Amino acid sequence: MGYSTVLFDLDGTLLNTLEDLRDAVNHVLSASGFPPRSLEEVRQFVGNGLGNLMRRSLPAPCGEAELERHTAALRSWYAEHSQVKTHPYDGILPLLDRLHAAGCRVGVVSNKVDGAVKDLCRHYFGNRVAVAVGERQGMRRKPAPDTVLLALGELGAGKEGAVYVGDSEVDVATARSAGLPCLSVTWGFRTREELLRAGAAVLVDTPEELWAALVQ
């Protein structure tokens, strides 16, 4: 096994959460009389937590109090509707099974709220993912290394033999800040060109290619 520890991003890497995120955003926007956002717009807005998603989705800048009110509504709605259209990308469950069978430590690090990350991983992956870490109070979110280092600690792993897998420029920066190599997947929320501009060094187009990159 090339890597003994694999940390994954969640949205756009393991799970296609885009439609549920779009529906949650549009629910909040509609309640305030704002026009809806398209799937493609939400795809571009995702990447730094629900607060930033809400800020980018609003039609005009607003004060912090108003932004927090909208973000709280988004968190509440999404917590109840995060498993409606969401699904693992094709080939992800077999990939996780192969990693589990190979004795690889597997964790998820996301900018979603910690409870939502744990719930989604438990629901879709069961025991295939040993540790799931999300946004927590008092910890910096990605691309800061805090949650990555926390996940490594909970897995009982060090940086040696570890790799970070993600689909966005945030993930490239996260791996860099944590001192880990990064594998960037092209089936998620960013295009190949966007990933290359962000400094992605290794791109993979399918879970089968990802498996090959992990075991080489």
Side-chain angles (χ1 to χ4, degrees):
M1 190 76 192
Y3 293 104
S4 57
T5 304
V6 184
L7 298 180
F8 289 96
D9 170 55
L10 187 60
D11 294 49
T13 302
L14 298 179
L15 291 179
N16 187 344
T17 57
L18 197 58
E19 289 186 271
D20 280 338
L21 286 167
R22 177 204 58 194
D23 292 350
V25 164
N26 286 341
H27 172 80
V28 175
L29 292 176
S30 176
S32 294
F34 295 137
R37 292 294 189 173
S38 69
L39 198 66
E40 185 56 35
E41 285 176 316
V42 173
R43 182 194 304 277
Q44 292 299 318
F45 296 159
V46 167
N48 296 88
L50 289 181
N52 281 302
L53 172 60
M54 192 71 254
R55 177 177 56 80
R56 294 163 182 158
S57 298
L58 290 168
C62 64
E64 286 300 314
E66 184 180 358
L67 175 59
E68 181 50 43
R69 179 172 60 81
H70 289 306
T71 302
L74 178 63
R75 287 196 181 102
S76 177
W77 175 267
Y78 184 67
E80 298 295 325
H81 302 85
S82 64
Q83 299 172 15
V84 179
K85 299 174 182 176
T86 288
H87 58 274
Y89 288 100
D90 290 344
I92 288 299
L93 295 183
L95 170 68
L96 294 177
D97 285 336
R98 293 171 84 174
L99 291 172
H100 186 74
C104 187
R105 298 183 183 97
V106 176
V108 166
V109 180
S110 170
N111 275 341
K112 281 187 184 297
V113 175
D114 190 64
V117 176
K118 287 176 167 53
D119 287 346
L120 287 166
C121 286
R122 188 181 306 113
H123 178 78
Y124 289 104
F125 307 132
N127 65 358
R128 297 176 178 92
V129 170
V131 166
V133 175
E135 181 184 0
R136 300 183 182 185
Q137 191 169 15
M139 296 197 77
R140 295 175 297 171
R141 66 167 65 93
K142 301 186 302 181
D146 303 37
T147 47
V148 169
L149 299 178
L150 176 63
L152 288 175
E154 291 186 1
L155 286 168
K159 293 183 182 180
E160 186 175 355
V163 64
Y164 193 79
V165 181
D167 73 303
S168 76
E169 70 284 353
V170 174
D171 299 313
V172 173
T174 298
R176 186 182 301 120
S177 69
L180 297 180
C182 184
L183 301 178
S184 298
V185 307
T186 62
W187 58 76
F189 297 167
R190 299 292 186 265
T191 65
R192 173 181 292 270
E193 291 71 25
E194 288 170 323
L195 290 168
L196 290 172
R197 284 198 299 270
V202 180
L203 276 65
V204 293
D205 296 327
T206 67
E208 189 64 34
E209 286 185 24
L210 178 54
W211 167 256
L214 291 171
V215 300
Q216 67 180 4

